[in-house]
């Protein structure tokens, strides 16, 4: 890993994953590894202790990982602590085993819960503060899940306006028969919504009535805590988070390196707005597509994915790269694509979206796989 990115940290972004149906990944293998196990055990014990104090019950993350006991919705608080512990253990391994310090990276970013871990890794939030926020609200957040459905909404041929979808969601909410909202904007033609009761079906019907192209709504069979949507208002989770953050001891310095926020799609954190942005993190959509475009337009060359079994962010970049390659296949080489977008004359002709042509050149590394399969 040191050879892989040494000298290129200025164009490398480290990406932290969020909550998923499965959250163990290869953490048990890392725990049992003779070289890396100590780092993992230390963070599991640390985060387990923090979780125990916040939840007022024993949380044995080390025992859970040793047994290979996966989390589920009923153990949502444990999943939060497990993910952050695994991510911070991988940061420790990077810095102490390979002398790769994230401070020197281009920036950090994280999907959902991963953004809080990124703020810890960027020395902006303490681990205790970052964990306390979601853990304190996790039980009430999980209570909202049984009536909710997560769905991916997408078009194959045309763009899908997030503003238009948001407007339809507001109209459905105004009917008083359940709340629905966008949870993430994945690309110009796809997004994630979470809705109560039959609201995702009603949204699908209205989209079909207003968009000429066929709109697909793929409902996920699992139940998800409705983070980043207005559904959390039912338990006043956003206002309670703001109150909790008013008592944080950390969060008074800007992260270093910068954190590319999925709240804004830009490197927006300063020494004065950390609490305000995290409060928006609770009930506002994750702007993944804006963050993806930011990496392409700012010269990022490599993404190192941290955490157990990274999924949505690497999949998004891979899908974009495949689409770009298919679109230009036979007309231009991948190597040429990497330099083409820096030509001023071309940018003037095509526009700023020419940076999308860089997608196939982005190198992605799943850090836990690299550690277990390639590290020597």
């Amino acid at each position: 890993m040191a050879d892989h990115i040494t000298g290129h940290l200025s164009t490398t972004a480290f990406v932290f994953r969020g909550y998923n149906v499965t959250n163990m990944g290869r953490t048990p293998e890392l725990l049992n590894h003779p070289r890396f196990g100590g780092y993992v055990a230390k963070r599991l014990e640390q985060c387990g202790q923090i979780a125990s104090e916040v939840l007022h019950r024993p949380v044995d993350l080390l025992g859970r990982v040793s047994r290979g006991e996966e989390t589920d919705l009923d153990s949502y608080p444990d999943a939060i602590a497990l993910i952050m512990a695994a991510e911070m253990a991988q940061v420790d391994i990077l810095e102490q085993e390979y002398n790769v310090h994230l401070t020197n990276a281009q920036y950090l970013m994280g999907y959902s819960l991963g953004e809080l871990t990124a703020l810890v890794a960027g020395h902006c939030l303490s681990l205790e503060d970052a964990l306390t926020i979601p853990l304190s609200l996790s039980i009430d957040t999980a209570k909202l899940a049984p009536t909710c459905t997560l769905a991916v909404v997408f078009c194959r041929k045309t763009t899908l306006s997030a503003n238009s979808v948001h407007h339809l969601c507001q109209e459905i909410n105004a009917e008083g028969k359940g709340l629905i909202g966008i949870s993430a904007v994945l690309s110009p033609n796809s997004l994630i919504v979470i809705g109560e009761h039959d609201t995702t079906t009603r949204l699908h019907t209205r989209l079909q009535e207003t968009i000429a192209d066929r709109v697909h709504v793929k409902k996920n069979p699992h139940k998800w805590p409705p983070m980043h949507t207005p559904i959390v208002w039912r338990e006043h989770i956003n206002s309670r988070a703001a109150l909790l953050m008013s008592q944080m001891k950390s969060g008074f310095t800007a992260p270093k390196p910068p954190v590319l926020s999925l709240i804004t799609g830009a490197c927006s954190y300063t020494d004065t707005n950390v609490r305000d942005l995290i409060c928006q993190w609770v009930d506002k959509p994750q702007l993944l597509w804006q963050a993806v475009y930011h990496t392409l337009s700012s010269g990022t060359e490599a993404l190192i994915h941290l955490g157990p079994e990274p999924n949505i962010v690497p999949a998004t970049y891979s899908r974009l790269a495949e689409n770009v390659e298919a679109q230009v296949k036979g007309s231009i080489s991948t190597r040429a694509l990497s330099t083409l977008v820096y030509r001023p004359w071309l940018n003037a002709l095509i526009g700023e979206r020419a940076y999308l042509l860089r997608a196939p050149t982005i190198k992605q590394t799943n850090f836990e796989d690299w550690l277990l399969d390639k590290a020597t």
Side-chain angles (χ1 to χ4, degrees):
M1 179 60 63
D3 291 340
H4 180 66
I5 59 177
T6 296
H8 302 285
L9 280 176
S10 62
T11 55
T12 296
F14 291 87
V15 186
F16 298 83
R17 60 152 278 180
Y19 173 79
N20 196 12
V21 175
T22 58
N23 299 290
M24 191 72 67
R26 303 183 71 178
T27 306
E29 295 176 69
L30 286 172
L31 178 62
N32 293 323
H33 195 283
R35 182 178 175 187
F36 309 130
Y39 299 101
V40 178
K42 179 180 178 181
R43 289 297 189 179
L44 289 172
E45 291 179 337
Q46 181 185 22
C47 291
Q49 180 61 38
I50 295 171
S52 297
E53 294 173 358
V54 173
L55 300 169
H56 307 293
R57 65 169 174 83
V59 178
D60 182 12
L61 295 181
L62 184 58
R64 176 184 287 275
V65 174
S66 298
R67 297 187 300 271
E69 182 183 335
E70 186 56 87
T71 58
D72 56 18
L73 185 61
D74 291 335
S75 55
Y76 177 56
D78 299 54
I80 291 172
L82 170 60
I83 294 166
M84 198 169 290
E87 290 174 332
M88 289 308 299
Q90 292 182 23
V91 171
D92 294 339
I93 293 169
L94 267 169
E95 296 188 340
Q96 297 181 41
E97 290 291 321
Y98 295 99
N99 198 33
V100 174
H101 296 277
L102 272 61
T103 302
N104 300 319
Q106 185 179 16
Y107 37 70
L108 312 177
M109 64 181 283
Y111 185 85
S112 190
L113 178 65
E115 184 153 333
L116 298 183
T117 316
L119 290 169
V120 176
H123 305 285
C124 174
L125 291 182
S126 69
L127 182 60
E128 291 78 8
D129 285 341
L131 255 182
T132 296
I133 298 165
L135 282 177
S136 297
L137 305 168
S138 59
I139 295 175
D140 287 337
T141 306
K143 283 180 182 177
L144 296 167
T147 62
C148 295
T149 297
L150 182 148
V152 179
V153 182
F154 63 97
C155 294
R156 297 191 186 278
K157 297 180 180 180
T158 189
T159 57
L160 183 63
S161 168
N163 287 335
S164 297
V165 175
H166 175 62
H167 182 77
L168 291 176
C169 288
Q170 288 182 313
E171 290 182 351
I172 293 171
N173 294 343
E175 295 171 356
K177 299 177 182 179
L179 294 174
I180 186 172
I182 299 173
S183 182
V185 179
L186 304 178
S187 72
N189 68 327
S190 64
L191 45 82
I192 293 175
V193 299
I194 302 179
E196 297 175 312
H197 311 303
D198 68 341
T199 52
T200 54
T201 299
R202 284 188 275 153
L203 175 64
H204 190 193
T205 299
R206 298 194 183 199
L207 286 169
Q208 292 286 51
E209 294 171 349
T210 57
I211 297 178
D213 188 24
R214 182 181 178 185
V215 180
H216 302 266
V217 174
K218 185 177 180 180
K219 298 180 181 180
N220 191 286
H222 303 284
K223 293 298 182 181
W224 298 78
M227 288 298 296
H228 319 304
T229 74
I231 299 172
V232 299
W233 299 343
R234 292 209 182 277
E235 294 291 335
H236 310 288
I237 289 171
N238 54 330
S239 57
R240 288 160 59 194
L243 182 60
L244 281 169
M245 286 185 289
S246 69
Q247 302 168 18
M248 291 193 314
K249 304 303 181 185
S250 60
F252 292 103
T253 57
K256 185 178 180 180
V259 168
L260 174 54
S261 174
L262 268 66
I263 303 164
T264 63
C267 295
S268 303
Y269 284 101
T270 68
D271 58 352
T272 61
N273 68 359
V274 174
R275 287 159 176 76
D276 293 336
L277 286 182
I278 298 175
C279 192
Q280 294 178 48
W281 171 89
V282 175
D283 60 359
K284 296 296 188 293
Q286 294 280 281
L287 303 180
L288 178 57
W289 174 249
Q290 289 190 27
V292 167
Y293 180 71
H294 184 95
T295 63
L296 297 175
S297 62
S298 62
T300 303
E301 296 178 353
L303 301 173
I304 310 296
H305 299 284
L306 303 178
E309 199 178 19
N311 54 346
I312 191 167
V313 177
T316 299
Y317 279 93
S318 296
R319 185 166 54 249
L320 175 61
E322 291 168 2
N323 288 336
V324 169
E325 288 181 324
Q327 189 72 22
V328 300
K329 186 176 182 179
S331 62
I332 191 168
S333 70
T334 300
R335 182 179 180 182
L337 287 176
S338 65
T339 59
L340 205 58
V341 294
Y342 294 115
R343 299 180 184 273
W345 63 268
L346 182 67
N347 191 55
L349 290 175
I350 300 179
E352 63 176 4
R353 296 298 172 178
Y355 287 116
L356 296 180
L357 298 176
R358 293 193 59 242
T361 71
I362 300 293
K363 182 177 179 60
Q364 299 194 82
T365 300
N366 180 326
F367 187 54
E368 69 173 3
D369 285 346
W370 185 88
L371 283 175
L372 291 167
D373 298 339
K374 297 182 180 179
T376 57

